[in-house]
């Protein structure tokens, strides 16, 4: 790694907890007040429930510079990015040498989904156990996600129902036409990995070296989708939508997902898109490419059967309680319906893949481990969302027999899933400072790369 990036890693302060919405907004406001000569804070939009969205501009006198857009919490269960956004803003304002090196005018949004983050605030301050996290988890349905409700208009794929938070990002993108967009995501388990909208071979080794320097393994396990383009180890291509669409139609499928991503929307201005994915829990098996002692098809099939079991519970529960719900449009019910479908589709497609000839090979430890832990991850996440929805019904006085019976069964099954996770996952939480440092270093490295100063 370039020495200046090693120096920047040391600037990240310790964090005992993650920040909620009000803390992030207050942090951005304090930075703007301390550095009025080079920073401007303005409201750039509103959430669906009326929370403000804030954007801090950091600039310096002199010639016009290319734009960079950075935003935290594109998914509200991913709070690393909020702290990263604040640290980036602070360093840019405090260090003129860093501003000159990176060579951009910066637009920094601390939290793109404040409504969703408020529904995760029950776990942000710990304890950082798997059970506490899972029981306070929330992730929106697809149609409620900032990252996945950008408009699409390509052949017969059409979507124009962008939510207000997404519209705010669209305005920033269209007004400022950024050369760099950093969407600050994080995963949950496994290792670190990235998405880039195009190959940048000079940047790849730096992105790979940063997490390993901080003791976080690169993720060499099962990727998010089987047909991803791998640019380098733990770096995937965020493929342009026309190519994604073509792959789907060539397989005889249709685009049914809904909205588009930031990558696709910002691509109209030629932006380099960087997505940095970091796990909360440390697992050295994420980088282990030695043989696991089982076939890849066996690992896929086991994952599929367990996903199908979880999908059956969610689907059956939803069918039983839907006629009796007091708040059927609540975010938790919208999410529970969506993820019941996600689990069912994953079970079907992975079982089919397990029978394909390409899957008849040995699995690596990383692959087998990630497929096994993916079961824990998804059923604790989405079973937890269902459980919160059922508890919400009980909390507002819905004591109908269907709701009481469903709550009892889901509590029992969920408790068994938690027990199994505790016995088999063997995971330790990663120091928050290291997670923020990886995301921060990746972002400034990408900007320096575009500015031609990465190795200077």
């Amino acid at each position: 790694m370039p020495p200046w990036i090693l120096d920047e890693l040391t600037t990240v302060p310790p964090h005992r907890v993650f920040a909620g919405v009000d803390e992030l907004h207050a942090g951005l406001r304090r930075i703007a007040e301390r550095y009025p000569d080079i920073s401007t804070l303005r409201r750039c939009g509103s959430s669906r429930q009326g929370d403000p969205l804030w954007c801090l501009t950091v600039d310096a006198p002199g010639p016009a510079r290319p734009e960079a857009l950075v935003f935290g919490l594109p998914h509200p269960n991913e709070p690393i990015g909020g702290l990263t956004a604040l640290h980036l803003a602070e360093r840019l304002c405090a260090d003129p040498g860093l501003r000159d090196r990176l060579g951009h005018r910066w637009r920094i949004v601390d939290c793109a989904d404040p409504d969703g983050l408020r529904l995760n605030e029950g776990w942000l301050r710990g304890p950082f156990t798997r059970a506490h996290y899972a029981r306070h988890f929330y992730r929106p349905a697809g149609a409620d996600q900032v990252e996945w409700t950008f408009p699409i208009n390509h052949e017969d794929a059409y979507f124009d129902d962008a939510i207000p938070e997404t519209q705010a990002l669209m305005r920033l993108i269209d007004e400022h036409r950024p050369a760099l967009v950093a969407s600050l995501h994080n995963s949950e388990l496994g290792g670190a990995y990235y998405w880039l909208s195009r190959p940048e071979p000079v940047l790849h080794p730096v992105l790979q070296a940063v997490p390993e320097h901080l003791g976080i393994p690169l993720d060499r396990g099962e990727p998010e989708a089987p047909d991803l383009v791998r640019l380098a180890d733990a770096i995937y291509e965020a493929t342009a939508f026309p190519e994604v669409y073509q792959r789907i139609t060539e397989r005889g499928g249709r685009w049914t997902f809904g909205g588009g991503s930031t990558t696709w929307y910002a691509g109209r201005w030629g932006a380099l898109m960087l997505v940095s994915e970091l796990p909360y829990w440390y697992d050295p098996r994420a980088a282990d490419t030695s043989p696991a002692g089982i076939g890849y098809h066996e690992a896929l099939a086991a994952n599929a059967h367990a996903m199908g079991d979880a999908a059956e519970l969610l689907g059956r529960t939803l069918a039983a309680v839907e006629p009796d719900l007091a708040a059927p449009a609540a975010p938790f019910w919208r999410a529970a319906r969506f993820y019941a479908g996600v689990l069912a589709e994953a079970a079907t497609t992975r079982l089919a893949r397990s029978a394909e000839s390409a899957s008849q090979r040995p699995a690596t430890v990383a692959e087998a481990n990630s497929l096994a832990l993916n079961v824990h991850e998804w059923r604790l996440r989405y079973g937890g969302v269902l459980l919160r929805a059922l508890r919400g019904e009980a909390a507002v006085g819905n004591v109908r027999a269907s709701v009481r019976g469903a709550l009892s069964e889901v509590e029992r099954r969920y408790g068994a899933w938690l027990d199994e996770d505790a016995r088999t996952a063997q995971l330790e939480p990663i120091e928050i400072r290291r997670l923020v440092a990886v995301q921060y270093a990746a972002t400034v490295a990408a900007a320096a790369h575009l500015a031609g100063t990465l190795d200077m």
Side-chain angles (χ1 to χ4, degrees):
M1 281 191 294
W4 71 270
I5 290 185
L6 290 172
D7 291 340
E8 285 301 317
L9 291 176
T10 68
T11 68
V12 180
H15 295 282
R16 294 186 303 103
V17 298
F18 293 106
V21 176
D22 296 332
E23 294 166 281
L24 290 174
H25 289 348
L28 213 57
R29 193 175 302 112
R30 282 193 299 270
I31 293 169
E33 290 169 353
R34 280 202 303 272
Y35 302 100
D37 294 340
I38 57 169
S39 69
T40 305
L41 184 65
R42 71 179 179 94
R43 185 169 179 166
C44 62
S46 302
S47 74
R48 283 154 291 174
Q49 297 195 40
D51 241 327
L53 304 179
W54 295 103
C55 178
L56 184 78
T57 298
V58 180
D59 198 5
R65 303 180 179 207
E67 295 272 350
L69 171 64
V70 179
F71 57 97
L73 283 302
H75 289 130
N77 58 292
E78 301 175 359
I80 298 170
L83 296 176
T84 303
L86 291 187
H87 184 68
L88 173 66
E90 176 69 35
R91 288 292 299 135
L92 289 169
C93 288
D95 190 336
L98 181 64
R99 290 197 304 273
D100 290 343
R101 177 187 291 279
L102 302 185
H104 287 73
R105 177 186 295 112
W106 294 83
R107 316 282 174 176
I108 302 172
V109 177
D110 59 339
C111 179
D113 186 356
D115 297 348
L117 180 57
R118 292 192 188 280
L119 296 180
N120 277 283
E121 288 185 347
W123 68 267
L124 298 184
R125 304 190 71 83
F128 296 111
T129 64
R130 299 275 293 148
H132 185 74
Y133 163 79
R135 286 188 177 276
H136 294 85
F137 174 92
Y138 169 72
R139 185 178 176 96
D144 298 329
Q145 292 183 13
V146 178
E147 183 65 87
W148 287 106
T149 54
F150 285 83
I152 290 176
N153 188 1
H154 179 80
E155 299 194 21
D156 66 350
Y158 186 80
F159 180 88
D160 65 356
D161 195 19
I163 62 177
E165 297 90 334
T166 305
Q167 292 177 36
L169 294 180
M170 289 166 57
R171 289 191 293 271
L172 289 172
I173 291 168
D174 289 337
E175 179 180 355
H176 302 297
R177 303 185 180 188
L180 171 66
V181 177
S183 181
L184 303 176
H185 285 254
N186 60 258
S187 54
E188 180 177 323
L189 306 176
Y193 63 101
Y194 305 92
W195 301 84
L196 287 173
S197 54
R198 61 178 184 257
E200 297 287 347
V202 174
L203 180 60
H204 298 170
V206 178
L207 296 180
Q208 293 165 328
V210 168
E212 292 188 321
H213 175 78
L214 291 166
I216 300 172
L218 294 177
D219 195 307
R220 296 181 171 95
E222 182 74 1
E224 291 188 37
D227 57 353
L228 297 181
V229 175
R230 180 177 169 276
L231 300 177
D233 204 12
I235 301 176
Y236 297 98
E237 180 185 74
T239 308
F241 183 73
E243 296 175 51
V244 173
Y245 179 88
Q246 182 178 353
R247 291 178 198 166
I248 293 171
T249 55
E250 285 176 351
R251 294 196 301 262
R254 295 178 59 250
W255 176 257
T256 59
F257 187 82
S261 71
T262 321
T263 301
W264 298 336
Y265 193 80
R268 64 181 58 194
W269 306 119
L272 172 65
M273 186 76 186
L274 168 68
V275 177
S276 307
E277 301 269 15
L278 283 305
Y280 298 124
W281 281 277
Y282 175 73
D283 187 351
R285 296 169 293 185
D288 188 346
T289 57
S290 64
I294 64 170
Y296 180 64
H297 68 286
E298 296 175 85
L300 273 175
N303 175 286
H305 289 306
M307 290 292 190
D309 177 67
E312 189 276 333
L313 175 64
L314 268 68
R316 176 165 49 81
T317 301
L318 287 164
V321 301
E322 286 280 14
D324 297 329
L325 296 180
F332 291 111
W333 285 119
R334 288 169 61 85
R337 295 183 193 103
F338 177 76
Y339 290 111
V342 169
L343 286 164
E345 182 180 6
T348 299
T349 57
R350 291 173 189 179
L351 190 61
R353 283 177 54 212
S354 72
E356 295 173 355
S357 59
S359 74
Q360 310 302 307
R361 60 171 178 79
T364 67
V365 169
E367 288 171 332
N369 182 63
S370 61
L371 284 166
L373 290 185
N374 176 236
V375 171
H376 296 253
E377 176 185 16
W378 282 20
R379 66 188 184 185
L380 291 184
R381 279 184 171 197
Y382 307 133
V385 168
L386 176 62
L387 190 53
R388 291 186 73 181
L390 289 166
R391 286 177 172 170
E393 290 289 318
V396 298
N398 187 348
V399 292
R400 291 176 174 87
S402 62
V403 175
R404 288 186 285 111
L407 180 55
S408 176
E409 181 185 10
V410 174
E411 281 276 23
R412 178 179 57 80
R413 291 286 300 279
Y414 198 75
W417 290 343
L418 286 171
D419 290 343
E420 184 180 344
D421 183 73
R423 286 194 310 271
T424 62
Q426 303 172 14
L427 301 169
E428 293 293 332
I430 300 172
E431 180 189 11
I432 296 173
R433 181 193 66 82
R434 289 190 286 151
L435 300 173
V436 174
V438 172
Q439 209 166 54
Y440 168 66
T443 303
V444 297
H449 168 64
L450 291 180
T453 59
L454 183 58
D455 292 320
M456 292 175 58

